[in-house]
């Protein structure tokens, strides 16, 4: 008996490996690496493990949790912040403890502001032209941030960092959240959602995916927005009704979008799909539209964040095994 806690790391990527190796001994763990995302097809790989660590692209629905429970798995830690892929109620009923990760909000916040700047200055249109040696200006005129109002939906850890970042550009910042944060009020004003929709030049989304936030951007909310509004989503694809967004972009009511996440990204983003014959109408349409920047769920992806995510996932499993609870347990 090594005395080490046996765990399985699903969706384990080569770039995470040095962090896994760094913390494995320190935390007294014995890690089995599985490169596949957790699903019913590969769940058996967790046999013999007390806990498993997963990412946000893993399937942690009730059937998968039931299979994990049958294998004797007691703890699931996500190395991602969003945990909408985990059936929390099913985990509770199976007595499986779950946790998510906490890491620096700057990785996503910086990326969200970059997307905001890119669509405001029509950078993607300029880059597309340059590929064809077209360096003309008409159609590329942008706006100055100091003249704009940014509407931040969700003023949690990432939203607050976005607000601080944008404050450096001198823009007016308004925000909407179900809970107001006192400290951030020095940089912005809280407003009702409808006011934010009607008055923002850039709307940037930073809420988790809940029933209450599903399709928070939809046909009706888009109709309340200013003409030419830019929409930035680095939170979860399901916050936006993609078809309504596409209609808004086609009609030019929406002046641009920066999207790191998409409703239909599952099984596509984080994979090399060049040889897969993959057809995704939404991605194809969005790519073809004017002033839309698509990135493949990479806003989190910095050296600091990857190390923190791995540490958080592993330390939660070590804590669960030792004490029955963890700092970032989802209760
Ligand atoms: P957080 O929990 O600190 O903040 C979320 C905020 O949303 C809270 O202030 C909460 O009150 C607010 N909120 C909840 N329901 C709301 C509603 N109905 N209307 C308005 N506001 C509501 O979370 P965070 O760390 O800031 O992360 C936000 C989300 O970003 C995560 O849940 C995750 O889905 C996403 N994310 C994406 C990436 C990426 O790589 N693209 C990486 C990390 C996180």
């Amino acid at each position: 008996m090594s005395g080490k806690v046996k765990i399985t790391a699903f969706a384990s990527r080569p770039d995470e490996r040095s962090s896994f190796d760094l913390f494995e001994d320190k935390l007294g763990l014995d890690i089995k690496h599985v490169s596949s995302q957790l699903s019913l097809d590969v769940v058996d790989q967790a046999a013999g493990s007390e806990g498993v660590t997963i990412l946000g692209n893993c399937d942690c629905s009730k059937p998968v949790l039931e299979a994990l429970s049958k294998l004797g798995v007691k703890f699931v830690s996500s190395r991602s912040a969003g945990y909408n892929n985990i059936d929390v109620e099913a985990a509770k009923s199976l007595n499986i403890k779950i946790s998510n990760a906490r890491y620096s909000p700057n990785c996503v916040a910086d990326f969200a502001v970059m997307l905001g700047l890119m669509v405001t200055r029509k950078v993607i249109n300029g880059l597309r032209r340059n590929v064809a040696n077209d360096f003309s200006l008409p159609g590329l005129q942008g706006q100055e941030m100091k003249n704009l109002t940014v509407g931040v939906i969700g003023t949690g850890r990432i939203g607050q960092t976005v607000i601080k970042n944008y404050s450096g550009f001198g823009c007016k910042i308004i925000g909407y959240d179900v809970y107001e944060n006192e400290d951030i009020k020095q940089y912005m004003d809280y407003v009702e959602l409808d006011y934010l929709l009607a008055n923002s030049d850039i709307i940037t989304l930073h809420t988790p995916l809940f029933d209450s936030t599903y399709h928070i951007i939809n046909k009706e909310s888009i109709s309340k927005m200013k003409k030419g509004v830019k929409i930035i989503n680095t939170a979860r694809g399901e916050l936006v009704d993609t078809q309504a967004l596409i209609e808004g972009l086609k009609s030019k009511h929406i002046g641009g979008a920066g999207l790191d996440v998409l409703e239909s990204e599952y099984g596509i983003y984080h994979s090399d799909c060049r040889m897969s014959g993959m057809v995704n109408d939404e991605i194809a349409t969005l790519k073809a539209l004017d002033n839309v920047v698509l990135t493949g769920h990479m806003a989190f992806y910095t050296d600091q964040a990857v190390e923190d995510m791995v540490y958080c996932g592993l330390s939660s499993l070590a804590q669960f095994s030792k004490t029955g609870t963890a700092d970032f347990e989802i209760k």
Side-chain angles (χ1 to χ4, degrees):
M1 284 280 284
S2 68
K4 291 185 172 178
V5 180
K6 282 196 167 25
I7 69 156
T8 303
F10 285 97
S12 170
R13 298 189 312 263
D15 58 281
E16 293 180 303
R17 196 56 187 255
S18 59
S19 302
F20 273 121
D21 292 347
L22 181 67
F23 300 122
E24 183 169 16
D25 269 350
K26 279 189 188 163
L27 293 167
L29 301 171
D30 178 0
I31 306 173
K32 173 180 176 182
H33 291 271
V34 178
S35 60
S36 310
Q37 297 160 8
L38 175 62
S39 70
L40 270 183
D41 294 340
V42 296
V43 68
D44 286 350
Q45 296 278 347
S49 287
E50 200 174 327
V52 302
T53 177
I54 62 168
L55 282 171
N57 55 12
C58 289
D59 175 1
C60 214
S61 57
K62 192 174 178 188
V64 176
L65 285 162
E66 284 170 347
L68 285 172
S69 179
K70 276 190 194 138
L71 293 169
V73 171
K74 297 191 206 109
F75 318 118
V76 175
S77 76
S78 181
R79 310 194 290 288
S80 299
Y83 56 88
N84 49 286
N85 58 322
I86 305 176
D87 186 331
V88 177
E89 290 312 312
K92 266 185 210 162
S93 68
L94 291 161
N95 219 7
I96 293 180
K97 304 252 182 190
I98 53 173
S99 63
N100 68 335
R102 193 68 56 87
Y103 49 92
S104 154
N106 298 71
C107 53
V108 179
D110 293 356
F111 201 92
V113 173
M114 178 194 72
L115 291 178
L117 289 169
M118 285 181 78
V119 293
T120 301
R121 300 304 300 269
K122 302 191 176 164
V123 170
I124 193 80
N125 306 28
L127 291 174
R128 281 180 189 149
R129 284 185 194 187
N130 293 358
V131 171
N133 274 351
D134 173 0
F135 301 104
S136 62
L137 279 177
L140 296 184
Q141 193 173 60
Q143 294 157 295
E144 295 193 17
M145 301 305 287
K146 70 176 173 53
N147 298 328
L148 302 183
T149 298
V150 177
V152 181
I153 301 184
T155 59
R157 295 177 75 246
I158 294 172
Q160 286 173 47
T161 311
V162 164
I163 289 167
K164 287 180 193 161
N165 284 351
Y166 269 124
S167 72
F169 290 95
C171 24
K172 182 175 167 51
I173 305 169
I174 54 179
Y176 168 73
D177 198 302
V178 282
Y179 300 108
E180 296 193 359
N181 180 289
E182 288 305 316
D183 295 340
I184 204 66
K185 286 185 179 175
Q186 59 182 302
Y187 299 101
M188 49 77 77
D189 295 315
Y190 277 105
V191 296
E192 291 302 318
L193 181 58
D194 276 359
Y195 183 92
L196 184 147
L197 296 173
N199 289 282
S200 301
D201 299 292
I202 298 173
I203 294 177
T204 185
L205 303 173
H206 302 288
T207 69
L209 172 60
F210 292 144
D211 288 346
S212 62
T213 57
Y214 177 79
H215 282 189
I216 196 166
I217 302 301
N218 55 38
K219 197 172 177 167
E220 195 193 337
S221 56
I222 290 170
S223 73
K224 295 175 182 169
M225 294 176 193
K226 265 187 177 180
K227 185 167 164 47
V229 62
K230 317 287 192 298
I231 295 177
I232 308 301
N233 189 7
T234 56
R236 282 292 178 268
E238 293 88 341
L239 303 189
V240 177
D241 177 343
T242 315
Q243 286 310 316
L245 177 78
I246 288 172
E247 274 175 40
L249 286 160
K250 280 184 175 168
S251 72
K252 305 274 184 208
H253 185 75
I254 299 173
L259 308 171
D260 186 51
V261 288
L262 269 187
E263 285 187 279
S264 56
E265 71 176 64
Y266 301 97
I268 298 174
Y269 283 180
H270 299 179
S271 303
D272 181 349
C273 297
R274 280 176 299 181
M275 305 301 280
S276 70
M278 183 268 290
V279 179
N280 181 298
D281 290 342
E282 284 179 354
I283 292 178
T285 305
L286 285 164
K287 269 198 214 166
L289 282 166
D290 199 31
N291 208 16
V292 175
V293 184
L294 282 191
T295 52
H297 204 143
M298 58 179 284
F300 72 97
Y301 198 45
T302 65
D303 49 358
Q304 174 82 57
V306 169
E307 185 173 316
D308 292 351
M309 290 164 83
V310 170
Y311 177 73
C312 220
L314 296 184
S315 63
S316 294
L317 293 180
Q319 283 183 336
F320 276 137
S321 177
K322 215 170 176 181
T323 68
T325 184
D327 292 343
F328 304 121
E329 180 174 355
I330 300 160
K331 290 184 177 159

